[in-house]
Amino acid sequence: MSRIKDSITSFLFVVPALLMFIVFSVYPFLKVFQLSVFDWDGIARTMKFIGLNNFKNIFTLDNAFWISMRNAGFITFLALTFQNTLAFFLAHIVDSEIRGKNFYRTIFFLPPVLSGIVVGLIWNWIYNSDYGLLNKFLIWLGFSNLARAWLSDPQTALLSVSIIHMWKGFGWGFVIFLAGLQGIPRDLYEAARVDGASETQILTKITIPIMIPIFFLVSILTILGTMQIYDIIVSTTGGGPGFHTEVPITRIIASMLGSSRFGYACAQGIVFGLVLLFISLLQIKLSQNLRSE
Amino acid sequence: MERIICLLVSVFIFIGCARKEQESGIVIWHWMTDREDVFVEFAKKYKQQTGVQVKFELYAPSEIYTQKIRAAAQTNTLPDIYGILGSKRDFASFIKSGHVENLTEQMELDGGKWKNSFFEKVVEANSFKPGNRFGIEPGIYGVGIDMMNIQMLYNKDLFKQAGLDPEKPPRTWTEFIEINRKLKKANIPGLVSGFGEIWLIECLANNFAFNIMGEKKVLDTYRGQVPYTDPDWMNVFELFDIMRKEEIIIKDSITMVNKSAEQLFSNNKAAFAFNGSWCINVYKGMNPSLNYAPMLVPKVSNKYPVRIWGGQGAYIVVNAKSSKKKQAIDFLKWLTAKEQQIILVQKTSNLPSNKEAISMIDPILREFSLGMNYITHPSMWNVEESPEVVEVFSKGIQSILIGEKTPQEVALEVQKIKLQKLKETK
């Protein structure tokens, strides 16, 4: 009897958190699914049931949505490769016995804590074709033919916003990699050095294999974070020129607020969520396979 | 005992999260950051004069505000007075859902005293006429607090620098091209605007379209009776291609937000800008010595008059479900009275919605007010282009401006989406 009473009391303690979770997470999640099968402007009291039409339109007519997915994929690819390589490289340097490592730690972690809008505005200034730092620097180096309107040129717009995103995001990977590297027992390195292993061998035979779970963690976080890029796009290009820097979130917001198609925006959100889920599951599976090997 | 205390704390937290019932006074939601200070001043003054408390609540930027009022509409938690951002369709949707009070009776009281204090265009923008396409009961539903129009601006000092007469801005397209060539020779950049915000592209293209083919044909296009591949529309697209070839538009402008464009123009970094009358206050803040004047969009054809977008600026509505409707309406009457409108004009440099306050405007605003004779606006038309078509249209023009697509390609793309939308509507 007292056990049941204890259980009820314990449950009562969980109730507030559970209610909050249901109200703020479960209900909106289910509501998105419900709205995705309606034609609704977000204001009207009545909604028109249209079945799976929104999904059909996404797959058959909405070219811009798939372009945005491809753009986000491109930025994610760059982030996974260049951003994470840089993050790992810097973490590896800071992990070794160098002077001022705390200073570097702080500096490298500064960009991630800045607001995306602020970062966008700073880089707008760097990329400006007229008074931008980048063009001035290129001209000073004698490469004036390379100077351009970086964010308005279709050849460079997506790459330019990718660089901003990587600059802002590499600090997260850096911190996680550094934590992982500091968790590797130092005596492993000492033993390897005693056995005559070179620094490259230590890196490839000890550090990297031990760090594989961390690599997967950082990869998943990078994919999920980058695919959902939004604030940097809004503060730099607004998705332009044309559709060159549109990303899924800008498309969803355009449907929701631009053309007042809430139901359609929810359907886009679901499709986007499923794509992210698929990528994450694939990543986990890959990680499990590698670990078992 | 400890457990009971913990449970009580949890319950109190939940109660604390509940919406606080307003005890007294009127609550107003708005997004106008530039008017926040003067609104707060008004609230104090109104309290002193009437004893009624008014609370202005600012939610910015406008995207956040838009989301907030839509969410509040769903949960019936809209304040006593609020503004609606969006198209006439959105305005109609709020009315249909019972969130907006019909103000016709109040406007018509005392021989239409309140209604007649406004400029006609302001009343028109807030009205739904008999037989309107939204099926709204005819009437006046909103209160305009200011007016605006969107024009081209030119920098007089840069004109002088290029050896041009600062009192003679280009009136025709040919003059516009010639002047830009002279400016280019003097290494002075041409036109800047926040074309990253695609509505500004739509606005400029629409100005050209009205001049080239007239209102009827433009609206017939929106009705689906004229294709975007029509030669007149091709002319409109080609104007942007000419601007690209002549390097008139500052390249960064194509993805720039209007705030950045305003910064460039105010820093004498461009000879022309395309901006709304609200810019006066912005430029005053950025560079008080900026020497500029508005000008109409250059005339491309003599067939039809030049039309610019304008009319009502910001407008607010009374919540039909508010228990303080009477108080809210009284406050709006006070807010739009001559005395308050003059203060608003002086502090924010916006064109007043009250006719009697127009005499108090400063010279540059007076020049802007001349443009009111040429205004048109989507909210005044009895047909609306689909937002998806507008997006492809404006993004297509961005592509023309960067030399990625030809006017023909863009016209075909726009027509394709137009047909798709027409099919969906049917």
Side-chain angles (χ1 to χ4, degrees), chain A residues 109-127 151 160-170 229 231-237:
Chain A
F109 199 61
L110 260 182
V113 296
L114 292 174
S115 135
I117 300 289
V118 173
V119 169
L121 293 175
I122 294 169
W123 279 86
N124 259 324
W125 173 62
I126 294 172
Y127 281 139
L151 292 168
S160 301
V161 291
S162 306
I163 289 170
I164 304 174
H165 176 77
M166 289 191 282
W167 178 82
K168 188 183 180 308
F170 86 91
I229 181 174
D231 45 6
I232 287 173
I233 301 287
V234 166
S235 58
T236 51
T237 61

Side-chain angles (χ1 to χ4, degrees), chain B residues 386-416:
Chain B
S386 146
E388 289 93 315
V389 177
V390 171
E391 188 186 40
V392 174
F393 176 86
S394 309
K395 293 245 177 197
I397 290 176
Q398 277 189 341
S399 300
I400 294 173
L401 288 172
I402 55 177
E404 190 188 28
K405 284 177 188 164
T406 64
Q408 289 80 1
E409 284 171 332
V410 171
L412 285 170
E413 274 179 15
V414 180
Q415 186 55 22
K416 190 180 160 196

